[in-house]
Amino acid sequence: MKKLIPILLILLLTPIKAREIIKTDFTQLPSKAQNFLLQYYPENKVLITHIEKNNYRILSYSVALDNGCNISFEENGNWKEVECLREELSTKFIPKKITDYIQRNRIDDEIIRISKKRSYYIVELSKKTILIFDFKFNLLKRLKW
């Protein structure tokens, strides 16, 4: 038992470093992430797959596409952020109530980034407007920057 305590202390005090792995292999992604890319960006090629992991598990995945879009995924493959600066972001995966709000309020901007956080969505538009929706799709804030 006396020998076990120092070993446990060393393990607990050893910092957990995040490591990054950069690949060009599309198959390194979880199947949910692969299906997302095949469904919403079928004509685009994955240039880089970035895997962030610590000593114990994978934390997140990111991909850069040849059209300039960057997509981040959670460790299970669900999307968490999509950003397209060179061309219009595919709106097929965006919840319909968000796109309906934008159309209903005659907002003429293109969506260039959408992020899914723990309890809300952040939608960034091309004309420097940010819309924040809760998961019931109520608009929480509209910001200009």
Side-chain angles (χ1 to χ4, degrees):
M1 183 71 177
K2 288 182 180 180
K3 292 181 182 180
L4 186 61
I5 291 174
I7 293 171
L8 288 174
L9 281 174
I10 290 172
L11 289 174
L12 289 174
L13 296 176
T14 303
I16 300 171
K17 291 184 180 178
R19 292 185 307 160
E20 298 177 9
I21 301 169
I22 298 175
K23 303 239 179 200
T24 56
D25 189 5
F26 172 76
T27 61
Q28 296 293 313
L29 297 171
S31 60
K32 271 187 179 179
Q34 290 180 28
N35 292 337
F36 179 90
L37 293 170
L38 291 171
Q39 184 175 1
Y40 300 113
Y41 293 94
E43 279 115 39
N44 299 107
K45 181 180 174 189
V46 174
L47 298 177
I48 296 173
T49 302
H50 176 264
I51 303 168
E52 184 179 351
K53 60 192 294 186
N54 64 19
N55 293 342
Y56 304 109
R57 65 185 179 97
I58 291 176
L59 302 172
S60 66
Y61 298 90
S62 302
V63 296
L65 301 178
D66 62 352
N67 65 348
C69 291
N70 296 309
I71 304 169
S72 298
F73 298 97
E74 297 170 345
E75 70 269 10
N76 63 4
N78 291 330
W79 70 271
K80 65 179 183 179
E81 182 173 89
V82 180
E83 175 184 37
C84 293
L85 299 175
R86 286 192 292 180
E87 67 178 49
E88 189 171 353
L89 185 138
S90 171
T91 58
K92 296 174 191 170
F93 67 93
I94 297 174
K96 185 159 175 35
K97 291 188 177 188
I98 291 177
T99 55
D100 287 349
Y101 175 88
I102 291 171
Q103 289 174 347
R104 188 174 56 250
N105 289 285
R106 297 188 178 116
I107 300 173
D108 238 2
D109 298 0
E110 292 178 2
I111 298 173
I112 59 170
R113 177 185 293 156
I114 184 165
S115 301
K116 189 171 27 172
K117 302 297 183 187
R118 201 171 268 192
S119 60
Y120 55 92
Y121 291 95
I122 299 173
V123 180
E124 189 176 327
L125 305 173
S126 60
K127 294 183 183 171
K128 301 188 188 256
T129 301
I130 296 175
L131 305 173
I132 302 174
F133 295 90
D134 63 15
F135 279 157
K136 293 182 180 177
F137 307 107
N138 300 309
L139 181 69
L140 299 176
K141 282 189 181 178
R142 183 177 180 163
L143 306 168
K144 288 278 198 185
W145 56 277

